[in-house]
Amino acid sequence: MGMKTVEEHLKIQQLFSIRMGDFQQFEQDFYQSGYYIDDQEQATYGYEETAHQDDQHVDYNATQPGVFTPSMGLPPTDLLYTGQMFQPAKDSGTASSTGTDTFEDEPPLLEELGINFDHIWQKTLTVLNPFKPADGSIMNETDLTGPILFCISLGAMLLMAGKVHFGYVYGISAMGCLGMYTLLNLMSLIAVSYGCVASVLGYCLLPMVGLSTFAIFFSLQGVLGTLFALLVISWCSLSASKIFISTLAMDGQQLLVAYPCALLYGVFALLTVF
């Protein structure tokens, strides 16, 4: 039994040695290039040294062939746009570059809107003094700022007296201006505009505003109130006729122009008194 065991043990060793030889042969056949782990470590070490040496001599500022750089394809530096963004260059032919178009040279806002307080004051003084000669150049302007203000004031005074007559004031004013416009164009050789007629009749409404203010505190339904109303009507009609004949060169026809004006202002007086 002991001899058989030894023989079997020897046979096992021989088989193991044969298998190990076959495995080494397979390993040599698999790595035909002769590349082993030891060679890999040596190659890696040699690459690191070579790369470190190359980094010391590389000029990164130089343009490498086949490599894209941001400066490629751009124009020279002297041809680049050097202006500021969103700020276009000024044209030498414009008025802003010459300095003539400035905020100081622009007219005031009220003057652009056609509101001139000096002319309004001059026209108001002309109405308040019916015996003063009127300046036809001033009254020839179609200024409606004063007339609108006086119409609103008349309606406000009537409202304070307990009379809501804003619609009557505006309606009678429009119809009266249209009638006087037609009449003056028939009587005068000089054509007159509707705006000029409305401006003159509106400014001459100022004494009627004073009558409506007086009606707030005192009753005008009596002899004294009637006389006062007739005086205001004469005042308004005389001022309006004076301005019309001065503007339209209608000498000797003041009474003919004052009559229709008195009829118009008489209607406003009726609204104020009653």
Side-chain angles (χ1 to χ4, degrees):
M1 293 295 294
M3 293 297 294
K4 291 181 178 181
T5 304
V6 173
E7 291 178 357
E8 291 177 357
H9 182 69
L10 291 174
K11 290 180 180 181
I12 293 172
Q13 287 183 350
Q14 290 178 358
L15 291 174
F16 182 75
S17 60
I18 292 172
R19 296 296 183 184
M20 290 298 296
D22 295 338
F23 179 76
Q24 290 179 357
Q25 183 66 30
F26 175 77
E27 182 180 5
Q28 291 179 0
D29 294 339
F30 183 78
Y31 297 102
Q32 295 180 3
S33 61
Y35 181 80
Y36 295 95
I37 296 176
D38 295 338
D39 296 339
Q40 181 181 4
E41 292 179 355
Q42 293 178 1
T44 303
Y45 178 76
Y47 174 75
E48 291 179 353
E49 290 183 351
T50 304
H52 180 70
Q53 293 177 1
D54 293 340
D55 291 341
Q56 295 178 355
H57 299 87
V58 172
D59 187 7
Y60 293 98
N61 296 326
T63 303
Q64 300 296 329
V67 180
F68 174 77
T69 57
S71 61
M72 294 178 64
L74 295 179
T77 307
D78 54 350
L79 297 179
L80 293 177
Y81 178 72
T82 58
Q84 298 180 359
M85 295 182 65
F86 306 110
Q87 293 184 2
K90 294 183 178 180
D91 188 6
S92 59
T94 58
S96 58
S97 61
T98 58
T100 56
D101 188 9
T102 59
F103 289 103
E104 290 78 6
D105 298 334
E106 293 183 357
L109 178 61
L110 294 178
E111 185 176 348
E112 290 183 354
L113 295 176
I115 301 175
N116 193 332
F117 289 104
D118 185 37
H119 288 185
I120 293 174
W121 178 247
Q122 294 296 329
K123 294 177 182 179
T124 303
L125 292 179
T126 304
V127 172
L128 293 177
N129 187 5
F131 301 102
K132 177 184 177 181
D135 188 1
S137 61
I138 296 178
M139 290 301 171
N140 200 18
E141 298 178 358
T142 58
D143 177 25
L144 298 179
T145 305
I148 293 175
L149 179 61
F150 294 155
C151 287
I152 295 175
S153 300
L154 178 59
M157 294 300 106
L158 294 176
L159 180 62
M160 294 179 66
K163 304 172 184 178
V164 185
H165 292 330
F166 281 99
Y168 290 106
V169 171
Y170 296 145
I172 294 171
S173 298
M175 295 300 295
C177 292
L178 182 60
M180 287 298 301
Y181 168 74
T182 305
L183 181 62
L184 290 174
N185 280 303
L186 293 174
M187 295 177 60
S188 175
L189 298 177
I190 301 175
V192 61
S193 63
Y194 182 82
C196 180
V197 174
S199 177
V200 173
L201 294 177
Y203 272 104
C204 294
L205 194 64
L206 181 58
M208 195 62 62
V209 177
L211 180 64
S212 61
T213 305
F214 186 79
I216 298 175
F217 306 99
F218 305 98
S219 177
L220 299 178
Q221 297 180 5
V223 178
L224 186 60
T226 303
L227 293 177
F228 189 37
L230 291 176
L231 177 62
V232 171
I233 293 172
S234 301
W235 189 353
C236 294
S237 59
L238 182 61
S239 299
S241 60
K242 175 191 65 176
I243 295 172
F244 281 131
I245 63 174
S246 299
T247 304
L248 302 176
M250 299 172 61
D251 297 335
Q253 303 181 27
Q254 185 173 1
L255 294 178
L256 295 177
V257 177
Y259 177 70
C261 293
L263 295 178
L264 174 62
Y265 291 114
V267 177
F268 286 111
L270 291 175
L271 291 177
T272 305
V273 173
F274 301 101

